Amino acid sequence: MKVLVAFYSRDSHTREVARKVAEALNAEIDEIIDKKNRKGIIGFLIAGYEATRGKTTQISFEKDPSDYDLVILGGPTWNSRVTPAIRTYLLQNRGKIKEAVFFTTCAGSSKKCLAQMEELYGKKALFKKVIVNKKLDEETEEFIKELKDLIGSNL
């Protein structure tokens, strides 16, 4: 089975999870780059506003998700919502992703964000996971175990 871990990360939390997941599953990895500067406090505030308003953004990524049997897609939660970069990725690749698993990193709850990701995907995801930043290592290991069980039994 060919697996891609695609992710967007403003800081390092989501990148760290994506790297560990890709390594554990022997999957390819692809970073989604937001062309808009989201650094600093102003970037942070604009990012939260744009996520709340359901905005898209200019992005770049290298790998075609239609070349994979499973895409594991992750990003941070901004104001309980999906980031513009992940929104754009899902809209640009709607119908191309065969099977999907979503994860989000956050300081609190992300159920709304995961529901938005699934809605943008247009189908039910195989699995969804919230990884709370304070428990990043522990919850990443749990996520990897759950993914291995899922991949071994369902695909």
Side-chain angles (χ1 to χ4, degrees), residues 8 32-34 55 57 59 83-90:
Y8 167 74
I32 301 161
I33 305 296
D34 188 338
K55 301 285 186 184
T57 190
I59 62 170
T83 66
I86 294 296
R87 177 181 296 282
T88 304
Y89 184 86
L90 284 164

Side-chain angles (χ1 to χ4, degrees), residues 20 135-146:
K20 287 179 179 181
K135 301 179 181 179
L136 196 68
D137 291 334
E138 175 186 326
E139 292 190 359
T140 300
E141 290 305 316
E142 180 182 311
F143 182 46
I144 289 168
K145 182 185 178 310
E146 291 166 329

Side-chain angles (χ1 to χ4, degrees), residues 59 61 63-66 88-97 121:
I59 62 170
F61 54 93
K63 301 186 184 327
D64 182 349
S66 66
T88 304
Y89 184 86
L90 284 164
L91 289 171
Q92 285 182 4
N93 292 295
R94 194 170 191 142
K96 292 182 182 179
I97 299 172
Y121 171 47

Side-chain angles (χ1 to χ4, degrees), residues 29-93:
I29 193 165
D30 193 16
E31 183 168 7
I32 301 161
I33 305 296
D34 188 338
K35 302 285 188 157
K36 190 168 194 170
N37 182 359
R38 302 212 183 261
K39 296 188 189 292
I41 189 67
I42 299 298
F44 174 77
L45 293 172
I46 291 170
Y49 172 79
E50 289 183 353
T52 301
R53 303 290 297 166
K55 301 285 186 184
T56 57
T57 190
Q58 295 292 316
I59 62 170
S60 65
F61 54 93
E62 294 182 3
K63 301 186 184 327
D64 182 349
S66 66
D67 292 339
Y68 298 85
D69 302 306
L70 173 65
V71 175
I72 301 167
L73 180 61
T77 298
W78 289 351
N79 200 21
S80 300
R81 291 167 178 84
V82 67
T83 66
I86 294 296
R87 177 181 296 282
T88 304
Y89 184 86
L90 284 164
L91 289 171
Q92 285 182 4
N93 292 295

Side-chain angles (χ1 to χ4, degrees), residues 103 106 150:
F103 74 92
C106 66
L150 177 75

